[in-house]
Amino acid sequence: MSRAKAEVCAGNHQAAFALLRDLIAPEDSFIDQSRVARCLSAIDLAAAGLRPLRLALVAGSTVDHFAGVLRFWLARAGFATELTITPFDTAVQSVLDRDSALYRSAPDVVWLFGTFRDVDVAVAPNADIAAADAAVERAVAARRALWATLHQRLPALVIDNNADIPAEDAFGNLAGAAPWGRRTLLRRYNAELAAAASSGTVIFDLDHIASLHGKRRWSDPRYWFHSRHAFALDASGLVAHAASRLIAGARGLGKKCLVLDLDNTLWGGVVGDDGLDGIALGGGAEGEAFVAFQHFVKALKERGVILAACSKNDPEVAEAVFRDHPDSVLRLDDFAVFSAHWGNKADHLRDIAERLNIGLDAIVFADDNPVERDIVRRHLPQVEVVEMPEDPAFFTGTLAGSGWFETVAFSAEDRERGRYYAENARRDAARNEFVDMDSYLQSLEMTARVGSADPLYLPRIAQLINKSNQFHLTGTRYSEPEIAAIAGRPDWFVRHFRLRDRFGDNGLIACLVLRRQDDALHIDTWVMSCRVLGRSVEEFIVNEVRAIALANGCERIVGRYLRSPRNGMVAGLYDRLGFALETESPGETRWTFEIGPGAAPWRSWVRSPAGEERLDG
């Protein structure tokens, strides 16, 4: 802490934050959390390279004490947060009043911080099922009404808590065993609330956080009766950490890739020394712990996390475990990249990031060896390193508790992400067979389908826009309702692009939001997956932009580039595509391209499927 304070005094805000970010864990006491939060308040987080975020905390209880801790964990997740807290116990009034502090703050995220005390599901003992159903329905409808009002008035993500089911009840076991019991009704409320959450609304599982902390310790009646504190002070870190990871996932700062060591991380022992039959994997307590951890890692892969292996090992020896060991849950094809050589782990990770075409800041690294973890922390501070425990029985809980892969939605595209990146690695290998790039691109036999913001693709379009950072020219963020509204306007056009080649389907890889104004078609938003860079997809997309412009009587295409800490890779895109620089200011450039019916299209090796209709209008 003292070193961080010294760096602040010296004006080294980035160094100060780097020292501060790993000083506490979510489970640490409120006193420790507060000390670090106070030190953070002296740091210029924008100067430290963090993304600005406006958050409104709308609560029916006292949360002011929680503000500093929340800012710290949001900073840890990558945000410089401007926090607005509405007055105590005015949640409903703040949402309904257009002139409230909530709306004046123009938040990016609204967090409706309710507890079980704000949920009225009470019915008389022995009430019938119809009465119980009606009580739950009324309580959920009240929350839905608040969500609807917020979405009508704000382009913000709405987070709402479910009910933290209390530990004590006068009916004892009946409270959760009888259909009219309070615990039963609150559980039903939580399930119905999750089912009711519409686009742009996310449920924060407060009841799960209460369970992690311990239900008997979760609520401190002394603080509730004295000052209406909704939960025990020492739970502040857990709540703030979980919320920060959820917001990071929603705002494009979630992690994409889990890089795993092998020996003593995915199995016990060293396969090169102990042999395939000598490692601990299945059979016995230690072996079963590694199998359980592999099951958890496999589940991460199936929900969209990219897996990569990073081992100091002979490749054939390491691969044999995944190919031949009967108890290995993971197989070679679960890994998008399998890196086994005797170089240092920092070089391994650089190579993996390059092969996957992702940033180092998208990687989480898990290794049982504290020396290897320290090397990566020192040389690659962008990589998140999981502090793995000595006992493999706790590997799953440690990785799960980190929250680095938190997300607010799950789609078919997410399920296939690992396969997309694995096929990318095969494409890169195939590139070496060709003398020139044009021959290689032609051999890929690429076809792209262009679609609009129809209901099937709307969630994935919103997800790509909000998660993309590197190939994102303007940094704009739109919720699903906003995109749907934009697509319905006569002078706006929303397009998505899917790409297929001879190696397989790349899925939805790019989105455009275009706006016609006078004689120009403006590129409001252009995002693209980095895994398809360098394949002339950009040229195919700008040809589509040109076609839309011509079909709608436009004479120019106008594009902007707004610099961010992570989108430097597209700084020269418009220049490369032949656009003329119109204006330049710190952090922003504006480009134009004059079009005409006879102008030659941009050269691309991507084709539209034969016979497919265009979507110019």
Side-chain angles (χ1 to χ4, degrees):
M1 187 87 73
S2 58
R3 289 179 58 199
K5 291 178 179 178
E7 293 289 359
V8 171
C9 293
N12 301 325
H13 294 275
Q14 196 158 6
F17 179 63
L19 290 168
L20 204 61
R21 64 198 300 270
D22 293 317
L23 283 182
I24 57 170
E27 300 82 6
D28 289 344
S29 71
F30 179 70
I31 292 174
D32 290 339
Q33 303 274 345
S34 298
R35 285 171 179 163
V36 175
R38 283 195 299 272
C39 190
L40 181 84
S41 65
I43 297 175
D44 184 342
L45 296 178
L50 275 62
R51 180 190 293 181
L53 176 76
R54 294 187 303 275
L55 171 64
L57 196 52
V58 185
S61 53
T62 300
V63 291
D64 299 70
H65 66 289
F66 176 58
V69 177
L70 180 59
R71 283 194 188 95
F72 170 79
W73 286 104
L74 283 166
R76 184 69 178 82
F79 298 105
T81 305
E82 180 183 332
L83 185 60
T84 298
I85 301 176
T86 60
F88 164 75
D89 202 20
T90 62
V92 174
Q93 299 95 308
S94 294
V95 172
L96 298 180
D97 182 4
R98 290 180 178 272
D99 296 322
S100 69
L102 162 64
Y103 294 107
R104 291 197 301 271
S105 68
D108 303 304
V109 178
V110 177
W111 188 0
L112 298 174
F113 199 98
T115 70
F116 74 91
R117 301 174 184 89
D118 302 301
V119 181
D120 181 11
V121 290
V123 297
N126 284 325
D128 58 22
I129 293 296
D133 289 345
V136 172
E137 185 178 340
R138 283 194 303 271
V140 173
R143 306 311 290 180
R144 292 182 66 179
L146 295 180
W147 303 342
T149 301
L150 287 167
H151 287 312
Q152 288 170 3
R153 298 176 181 178
L154 285 173
L157 174 71
V158 175
I159 299 175
D160 197 359
N161 295 348
N162 65 10
D164 49 332
I165 300 171
E168 294 86 17
D169 195 282
F171 278 94
N173 186 71
L174 271 177
W180 43 264
R182 181 170 64 159
R183 283 202 294 269
T184 299
L185 294 176
L186 286 174
R187 286 168 183 153
R188 287 187 55 195
Y189 166 82
N190 285 349
E192 294 298 325
L193 193 74
S198 56
S199 172
T201 301
V202 176
I203 303 303
F204 180 69
D205 195 352
L206 188 67
D207 189 53
H208 176 63
I209 305 302
S211 298
L212 289 176
H213 188 67
K215 284 294 182 75
R216 286 191 177 276
R217 297 185 297 122
W218 169 251
S219 181
D220 189 327
R222 298 169 302 174
Y223 283 102
W224 172 253
F225 294 124
H226 179 269
S227 48
R228 292 299 188 264
H229 285 64
F231 55 88
L233 297 181
D234 282 346
S236 298
L238 277 174
V239 178
H241 172 259
S244 70
R245 296 314 314 155
L246 185 67
I247 293 171
R251 302 289 293 179
L253 293 185
K255 305 303 178 183
K256 297 179 180 179
C257 178
L258 174 61
V259 179
L260 294 145
D261 174 51
L262 302 182
D263 291 329
N264 289 311
T265 299
L266 289 181
W267 56 75
V270 178
V271 67
D273 296 333
D274 302 325
L276 195 64
D277 297 333
I279 62 174
L281 187 61
E286 185 182 22
E288 290 178 7
F290 284 109
V291 168
F293 184 55
Q294 286 201 22
H295 272 294
F296 182 76
V297 169
K298 180 90 167 185
L300 286 177
K301 181 249 182 182
E302 290 173 349
R303 52 152 285 194
V305 176
I306 308 162
L307 300 185
C310 171
S311 176
K312 289 183 177 179
N313 234 316
D314 289 322
E316 292 182 3
V317 173
E319 290 175 3
V321 180
F322 302 103
R323 186 176 57 247
D324 302 327
H325 199 291
D327 292 315
S328 181
V329 177
L330 295 168
R331 297 297 173 183
L332 280 175
D333 59 5
D334 288 319
F335 296 95
V337 174
F338 195 92
S339 178
H341 58 75
W342 295 100
N344 70 75
K345 294 291 180 75
D347 287 341
H348 272 272
L349 290 170
R350 290 189 187 97
D351 177 61
I352 288 169
E354 183 176 350
R355 290 169 66 180
L356 292 174
N357 205 5
I358 61 175
L360 287 165
D361 57 357
I363 290 176
V364 175
F365 176 58
D367 193 315
D368 72 290
N369 190 325
V371 175
E372 299 290 359
R373 296 197 299 265
D374 185 62
I375 288 172
V376 172
R377 283 195 182 99
R378 289 175 181 272
H379 294 279
L380 300 177
Q382 312 96 310
V383 173
E384 290 295 344
V385 180
V386 181
E387 192 61 24
M388 302 295 283
E390 292 185 9
D391 190 337
F394 298 106
F395 281 8
T396 295
T398 299
L399 184 56
S402 71
W404 290 119
F405 300 109
E406 197 65 72
T407 185
V408 297
F410 180 73
S411 67
E413 295 284 335
D414 295 320
R415 184 182 293 111
E416 297 297 323
R417 184 176 293 115
R419 180 177 62 80
Y420 295 153
Y421 279 92
E423 289 172 350
N424 243 17
R426 291 165 51 201
R427 293 181 186 96
D428 288 341
R431 184 184 305 173
N432 296 327
E433 302 173 7
F434 294 88
V435 176
D436 64 273
M437 182 58 75
D438 283 352
S439 298
Y440 166 69
L441 294 177
Q442 187 174 16
S443 77
L444 288 178
E445 302 171 8
M446 294 179 286
T447 58
R449 294 184 180 275
V450 185
S452 60
D454 58 74
L456 180 64
Y457 286 102
L458 183 59
R460 177 60 179 140
I461 291 171
Q463 186 181 45
L464 188 60
I465 289 175
N466 285 297
K467 284 192 172 183
S468 296
N469 293 296
Q470 293 178 281
F471 196 113
H472 197 329
L473 287 134
T474 51
T476 49
R477 308 291 176 185
Y478 290 122
S479 66
E480 286 184 43
E482 287 180 290
I483 296 169
I486 286 171
R489 298 171 186 167
D491 290 333
W492 289 75
F493 311 90
V494 179
R495 297 289 183 265
H496 74 262
F497 298 80
R498 294 184 62 93
L499 183 70
R500 175 179 285 278
D501 59 36
R502 67 183 176 93
F503 288 100
D505 187 357
N506 291 269
L508 193 150
I509 50 89
C511 302
L512 286 172
V513 178
L514 311 172
R515 174 174 54 90
R516 181 178 61 191
Q517 185 175 1
D518 300 327
D519 66 341
L521 185 66
H522 294 255
I523 302 176
D524 174 88
T525 301
W526 182 356
V527 298
M528 194 170 82
S529 170
C530 295
R531 67 177 185 269
V532 297
L533 282 174
R535 299 192 211 165
S536 73
V537 177
E538 302 96 310
E539 286 77 7
F540 178 88
I541 289 174
V542 80
N543 277 331
E544 290 295 317
V545 175
R546 176 178 177 272
I548 293 170
L550 289 172
N552 288 274
C554 297
E555 299 175 4
R556 297 178 298 135
I557 302 171
V558 178
R560 291 186 307 145
Y561 166 70
L562 297 176
R563 186 179 299 113
S564 79
R566 302 174 70 181
N567 73 348
M569 66 184 304
V570 292
L573 177 69
Y574 285 123
D575 186 35
R576 179 169 67 79
L577 293 173
F579 281 61
L581 179 62
E582 184 177 290
T583 60
E584 183 172 8
S585 59
E588 180 177 353
T589 54
R590 179 183 169 99
W591 304 78
T592 59
F593 190 91
E594 303 290 335
I595 57 176
W602 284 267
R603 187 187 185 194
S604 173
W605 292 105
V606 182
R607 300 288 180 264
S608 296
E612 188 164 280
E613 294 184 8
R614 298 190 61 86
L615 294 171
D616 294 332

